[in-house]
Amino acid sequence: MTEILWRELIYFFYYFSIQAEQIFLYWLIGIALGSFISVFGREKIHSLFVRMHNTKIGLFGVIPASLLGIASPLCMYGTIPVAASFSEKGMSQEWIAAFVMSSILLNPQLLFYSAALGKHVLVIRFAACFICGVTAGICVKLLFRKNAFFQFSKFENMANRDTDPNPFLRFIKNVGRNIRATGLYFLLGVVLSALFQRYVPRESFADIFGSNRGFGVLMAAAIGVPLYACGGGTIPLLQTWLQNGMSLGSATAFMITGQAMKITNLGAVKIVLGIKHFLFYLLFTVLFAVLSGLAADYIFGI
């Protein structure tokens, strides 16, 4: 019994070390990049969005709004107060919807993490999140033309923690908070990935999420909700799943529903949307995740 236990521990640490070595540098650089943009670039990104208010681009504004949402380094609880301030300045709600949706799905740090999954996943993730933001803005414009979509007054503002007068110390403190926020999830992701490689047969996983792609996309969209806790923490799992036969479409569906419908995000979304609009958000997210997953499988065929 002891011999078997030691053998399994050796196998586990073997898979663990390989997985950690493959993605640790991406995690570290991603944290530094996210903190740098948060400390030195956040206000510039948001001021660009405000300056859009003086233009006459109309509905086409959802395009730069979605791009700026991706560029914004804030989490959900930081994005909503910023979006509320945009609303107070008279920004159109379709622009705000595009900004918020893409910001929920992606940020510079998570985008850099995704580079560890290969160029195809990186391109798909960026394109899907950008298009999702644009589509959300268009839907809000067409379906909620006469009604306010957001209820920002119900959301309590979150204090800015980057207040140290020394820019370098602000950056270091932000890095520290970033590590504390993502480190445990990153470690958990590597552990689960090592266990998966050791104990889950490659063939059975490929049958569900690879060869049977339509069903695989639906399944991936479903499991994204309970399994997705942190963007960085899912990168090791996704890397292993892709290596074991998961299609790019299934990975896409998982990334969208997981990021948009994780529990920590849903609470904030429900507050600012109300129950009816919240249900619309859920339906929109699931439909977009499935359709984008099917499209990714069709276009790339990998």
Side-chain angles (χ1 to χ4, degrees):
M1 185 68 180
T2 304
E3 182 179 345
I4 295 175
L5 179 60
W6 275 110
R7 184 182 64 190
E8 292 304 314
L9 285 174
I10 290 172
Y11 274 119
F12 169 77
F13 283 110
Y14 168 74
Y15 288 119
F16 179 90
S17 62
I18 290 177
Q19 190 68 47
E21 183 180 350
Q22 288 177 340
I23 68 171
F24 176 75
L25 188 59
Y26 287 97
W27 175 70
L28 199 61
I29 297 177
I31 283 178
L33 175 64
S35 294
F36 183 86
I37 295 175
S38 181
V39 172
F40 301 107
R42 178 176 59 189
E43 295 301 325
K44 293 182 180 179
I45 292 170
H46 297 160
S47 65
L48 283 174
F49 193 26
V50 172
R51 287 205 295 270
M52 284 173 52
H53 185 49
N54 298 322
T55 65
K56 298 180 179 180
I57 55 179
L59 184 59
F60 289 102
V62 298
I63 296 175
S66 184
L67 290 172
L68 289 172
I70 292 174
S72 176
L74 297 177
C75 67
M76 165 59 74
Y77 286 86
T79 295
I80 288 181
V82 170
S85 70
F86 293 156
S87 180
E88 291 176 357
K89 291 179 174 67
M91 304 283 286
S92 61
Q93 63 179 4
E94 61 266 25
W95 291 8
I96 296 174
F99 176 87
V100 171
M101 189 75 228
S102 62
S103 182
I104 290 173
L105 293 175
L106 195 59
N107 56 56
Q109 183 172 326
L110 185 54
L111 184 64
F112 189 86
Y113 289 161
S114 302
L117 303 175
K119 62 180 181 180
H120 287 108
V121 177
L122 182 64
V123 170
I124 290 173
R125 185 162 212 173
F126 177 83
C129 294
F130 166 68
I131 295 172
C132 188
V134 170
T135 306
I138 293 173
C139 287
V140 167
K141 175 68 174 180
L142 297 179
L143 301 178
F144 301 93
R145 186 187 303 268
K146 298 180 180 179
N147 300 312
F149 186 70
F150 297 99
Q151 301 176 18
F152 290 119
S153 60
K154 296 183 178 181
F155 191 87
E156 185 177 352
N157 203 343
M158 185 177 181
N160 179 18
R161 291 182 291 180
D162 291 320
T163 57
D164 195 292
N166 187 312
F168 179 74
L169 290 179
R170 284 205 309 272
F171 172 72
I172 295 300
K173 290 179 180 179
N174 194 289
V175 168
R177 290 196 301 270
N178 219 337
I179 291 175
R180 290 194 297 273
T182 64
L184 181 60
Y185 292 111
F186 172 81
L187 181 61
L188 180 61
V190 175
V191 169
L192 292 176
S193 177
L195 293 173
F196 181 91
Q197 291 182 36
R198 175 59 182 156
Y199 296 110
V200 177
R202 179 187 181 99
E203 295 76 14
S204 61
F205 188 85
D207 288 340
I208 297 175
F209 295 102
S211 57
N212 192 356
R213 293 189 175 181
F215 178 73
V217 169
L218 291 172
M219 284 291 294
I223 68 173
V225 178
L227 290 184
Y228 203 105
C230 169
T234 58
I235 297 299
L237 279 174
L238 280 168
Q239 187 178 63
T240 299
W241 291 349
L242 288 165
Q243 291 171 352
N244 281 267
M246 179 182 242
S247 72
L248 290 177
S250 294
T252 302
F254 176 85
M255 289 186 290
I256 292 174
T257 59
Q259 186 71 18
M261 298 172 67
K262 63 182 180 180
I263 300 301
T264 52
N265 279 349
L266 288 183
V269 173
K270 184 178 180 298
I271 291 173
V272 299
L273 294 186
I275 186 62
K276 291 183 179 179
H277 294 172
F278 177 69
L279 293 175
F280 172 81
Y281 170 84
L282 296 180
L283 178 62
F284 170 82
T285 299
V286 172
L287 286 176
F288 187 88
V290 172
L291 291 176
S292 61
L294 294 173
D297 276 342
Y298 177 78
I299 293 172
F300 286 87
I302 298 174

